[in-house]
Amino acid sequence: MTPEDKARQRKTLLIMGGIFLVLFIGIGIYVILNQRKQIKDIQEIAEFEKQTLQEEYNEVALQYEGFKIEVSNDSILHQLESEQAKVQRLMEELRVVKSTNAARISELRRELETLRKMLRHYVVQIDSLNRANAELRSENQEVKRRISQVTSERTQLRQEKEKLVEQVTLASKLSVSNFSARPLNSRGKSTNSIRKMKQIEFLFTIDKNVTAEPGFREVYMRISTPDDLLLEKPAESGTFDFEGGQVPYSIKRQVEYGGEPTTLTMYWDIEEYLIEGTYRVELFADGYIIGRFTFEL
């Protein structure tokens, strides 16, 4: 090999190495940006939860303020002022608590429910004392209008939070690719003869998903014949929870999933008479259907 050829070879290798390096960096940047977006979505959910709770506290505070207008009884008025001061103290604590402090926010929500129970108690007393006082009810219209406005804003925040939660949930849903079904004979070899088939091997890949929580999962498979009969075995089949009901399955398999592509193999032992035609396979995990496929026998 001449020096010129060696130089050209080195140049070619350098160019190819540069291309692979650029591709690797690009993929790395994409993964990092995608993970940051997912983390940001989760943080936004926590912030929405805190904002919603703040709006609920504001609503309760306005209700206490409004009911004070209707009260002429000094004893009840003193109790209302005491409860209102407690609301203000908890509101201030909620304002400074971090949205990521889920435990304290949960405690503040329980405190809010207690305040609402007390408020309902006072409502009964106030209504009995001021049932006939139409003038004071008129003066309270502005407060009620403000409560309605706060309630409307809280409803909008809740809807936005639910939409964001749904987006994160859908992002963590598993998916399946590279599905194949291979009929095997008694020696574990591929066969196209239904008469010689003793087992069906199902091979598929659970795709990569960095937002899915890692851990063990049950993967359920439903195998339906061309005439829409579900293949079942007393020893292997059963039911699983899906959309509020119990759905029968043919076979299941437990898999440890860590967010990376995971290949899974499942087998169906043929003990029944199978007909020629198109068979359907449905795969479920985490309460979702994660794949639908067909194969021919």
Side-chain angles (χ1 to χ4, degrees), residues 4 30 42 63 86 137 158 176 178 185 202 264 285:
E4 290 79 8
Y30 172 79
I42 294 172
Q63 288 176 326
K86 183 177 180 181
R137 284 198 297 269
R158 183 184 296 112
V176 169
N178 301 325
N185 60 23
F202 299 99
L264 191 61

Side-chain angles (χ1 to χ4, degrees), residues 227-244:
D227 48 1
D228 287 329
L229 294 177
L230 181 69
L231 297 183
E232 296 182 87
K233 292 183 191 300
E236 298 183 31
S237 304
T239 61
F240 63 95
D241 294 329
F242 182 69
E243 294 185 350

Side-chain angles (χ1 to χ4, degrees), residues 23-272:
L23 287 173
F24 180 78
I25 292 174
I27 293 172
I29 291 173
Y30 172 79
V31 170
I32 290 172
L33 291 177
N34 191 42
Q35 289 177 337
R36 285 182 177 177
K37 180 181 181 301
Q38 292 158 1
I39 292 172
K40 182 180 178 182
D41 287 344
I42 294 172
Q43 291 173 339
E44 288 179 358
I45 291 174
E47 188 60 33
F48 266 122
E49 179 69 22
K50 178 180 176 180
Q51 290 178 6
T52 300
L53 188 58
Q54 287 176 323
E55 294 299 333
E56 291 176 358
Y57 265 99
N58 287 336
E59 179 182 349
V60 170
L62 286 173
Q63 288 176 326
Y64 272 108
E65 183 64 30
F67 289 132
K68 283 170 58 180
I69 299 175
E70 301 180 10
V71 176
S72 57
N73 184 287
D74 291 340
S75 176
I76 296 179
L77 182 61
H78 178 73
Q79 295 175 44
L80 281 173
E81 289 175 342
S82 177
E83 291 296 322
Q84 189 179 25
K86 183 177 180 181
V87 172
Q88 295 297 330
R89 177 178 58 79
L90 292 174
M91 286 177 63
E92 178 60 24
E93 182 176 351
L94 178 61
R95 186 184 66 82
V96 299
V97 73
K98 293 183 178 180
S99 60
T100 53
N101 190 347
R104 185 51 187 155
I105 288 179
S106 179
E107 292 173 358
L108 288 170
R109 181 169 291 281
R110 288 194 294 271
E111 292 277 7
L112 180 63
E113 290 305 315
T114 301
L115 290 169
R116 282 175 169 161
K117 290 180 182 178
M118 290 299 300
L119 188 62
R120 287 193 291 269
H121 172 72
Y122 292 132
V123 167
V124 174
Q125 296 186 60
I126 293 169
D127 284 346
S128 64
L129 292 172
N130 301 284
R131 195 179 303 274
N133 199 332
E135 180 180 355
L136 290 179
R137 284 198 297 269
S138 175
E139 293 176 358
N140 198 33
Q141 287 302 310
E142 175 60 21
V143 174
K144 291 181 178 179
R145 185 194 66 78
R146 291 169 60 194
I147 292 174
S148 177
Q149 180 180 353
V150 170
T151 302
S152 176
E153 292 172 353
R154 179 167 60 88
T155 300
Q156 182 179 355
L157 280 172
R158 183 184 296 112
Q159 291 172 346
E160 292 174 355
K161 184 190 72 173
E162 289 173 352
K163 182 179 179 181
L164 190 56
V165 169
E166 181 180 0
Q167 290 174 349
V168 173
T169 301
L170 291 176
S172 65
K173 176 185 172 184
L174 301 182
S175 62
V176 169
S177 61
N178 301 325
F179 176 86
S180 66
R182 186 166 66 108
L184 305 175
N185 60 23
S186 59
R187 293 180 298 173
K189 303 294 184 181
S190 297
T191 180
N192 292 323
S193 173
I194 291 183
R195 183 175 57 84
K196 296 181 180 179
M197 294 178 186
K198 298 299 181 183
Q199 193 177 58
I200 304 175
E201 177 189 74
F202 299 99
L203 183 67
F204 55 90
T205 299
I206 300 178
D207 299 326
K208 179 177 180 178
N209 190 330
V210 296
T211 64
E213 182 178 352
F216 286 95
R217 282 172 167 77
E218 296 285 354
V219 177
Y220 301 93
M221 177 180 290
R222 286 170 49 86
I223 310 169
S224 301
T225 65
D227 48 1
D228 287 329
L229 294 177
L230 181 69
L231 297 183
E232 296 182 87
K233 292 183 191 300
E236 298 183 31
S237 304
T239 61
F240 63 95
D241 294 329
F242 182 69
E243 294 185 350
Q246 292 294 308
V247 176
Y249 65 86
S250 303
I251 49 178
K252 69 176 181 178
R253 171 80 184 277
Q254 188 180 72
V255 59
E256 185 175 10
Y257 181 73
E260 295 300 320
T262 304
T263 299
L264 191 61
T265 305
M266 300 174 72
Y267 294 92
W268 176 260
D269 294 326
I270 300 174
E271 299 173 355
E272 58 280 294

